[in-house]
Amino acid sequence: MGEGSGEPESPSGGGENPGAAGRKGLLRPRLNRGQLIVAVLCAVLGFAVAAQVRSNDKDTKFATARQDELVGILGDLSQRSDRLRSDIRDLDATKSGLEHDAQGQAALEDARRRATTYGILAGTLPATGPGIELTINDPQGRVRAASLLDTLEELRDAGAEVVQVGDVRVGVSTYFTDPSGGGGVMADGHLLTPPYRFLVIGDPHTLATAMNIPGGVLRTLHNSGADGVVAQREKITVQAVRSP
């Protein structure tokens, strides 16, 4: 009749074999917590090694530098550090003044100081301070516009803050030209005649040293038949101003 058969029924053709499914599960990769921690530690270790390599490269660079190069680097870093400390002190003082002045008087004074500083730098206000007086004698009339321009550039490189040549206040757009008839040098369209007199505000020692270096401005003037005399002053007054 078919009811007494002892043979188990075969699974249908569309069903999945439970044993095969289990074996597939065993073949799937599993990432447990321990493996994740190991992966993170490896990444951190790789970053540390890379950072150490870069640090070793920098150390090797300094180790192979000459003594004079190291001294120069150290001096530059020291100067930068001093400037930054000075800036921090100035900013702290300004901040303190603003915080303790409810009426805004400190802000007003700070604005006035800034306006004065900008006016002096722009050449629209007179200025007073330590510096040098440079007189260029030209008995043979050989000094040309290029010589005065070189002198001005040397002064600027030495830290000149305010410059007046003759009756002309020097600005960022100041230029020198040789007049067609000779007999002097034109500065911003104004005729200058010898002796040429520079009034310069800045550090007197630094400015004087820059003028007297071997092969510098004074030596060049001497070779052309002129001569320059530098006098350090505790107070230089620059009265000439530029039009706003």
Side-chain angles (χ1 to χ4, degrees), residues 121-146:
L121 294 176
T124 58
L125 293 176
T128 301
I132 65 170
E133 179 179 350
L134 169 62
T135 304
I136 299 176
N137 299 300
D138 184 25
Q140 302 178 29
R142 294 184 178 180
V143 173
R144 296 290 181 264

Side-chain angles (χ1 to χ4, degrees), residues 22-179:
R23 287 192 298 271
K24 290 181 180 179
L26 291 176
L27 294 176
R28 293 175 183 172
R30 296 182 181 180
L31 185 64
N32 57 36
R33 184 176 180 182
Q35 292 172 326
L36 180 61
I37 293 175
V38 170
V40 172
L41 290 177
C42 288
V44 172
L45 179 60
F47 177 80
V49 171
Q52 183 63 39
V53 169
R54 288 195 295 268
S55 176
N56 290 340
D57 290 341
K58 293 181 180 179
D59 293 342
T60 302
K61 177 181 178 181
F62 288 117
T64 57
R66 299 194 308 270
Q67 182 177 1
D68 58 337
E69 293 176 337
L70 295 174
V71 171
I73 293 172
L74 181 60
D76 182 60
L77 291 175
S78 178
Q79 291 179 0
R80 291 184 183 181
S81 178
D82 291 341
R83 287 196 297 268
L84 289 174
R85 290 194 185 98
S86 178
D87 291 343
I88 290 173
R89 288 194 297 269
D90 293 341
L91 291 173
D92 285 340
T94 301
K95 177 184 176 183
S96 177
L98 293 173
E99 289 176 345
H100 291 84
D101 191 350
Q103 302 301 321
Q105 186 63 32
L108 180 60
E109 292 298 326
D110 183 63
R112 287 173 177 169
R113 286 194 299 270
R114 290 177 182 271
T116 299
T117 300
Y118 295 150
I120 291 174
L121 294 176
T124 58
L125 293 176
T128 301
I132 65 170
E133 179 179 350
L134 169 62
T135 304
I136 299 176
N137 299 300
D138 184 25
Q140 302 178 29
R142 294 184 178 180
V143 173
R144 296 290 181 264
S147 297
L148 296 189
L149 179 59
D150 289 342
T151 301
L152 177 59
E153 292 301 321
E154 287 286 349
L155 290 169
R156 283 173 169 168
D157 290 342
E161 299 172 3
V162 181
V163 180
Q164 175 179 331
V165 52
D167 295 327
V168 177
R169 177 70 170 270
V170 173
V172 294
S173 60
T174 292
Y175 62 94
F176 296 95
T177 57
D178 295 314

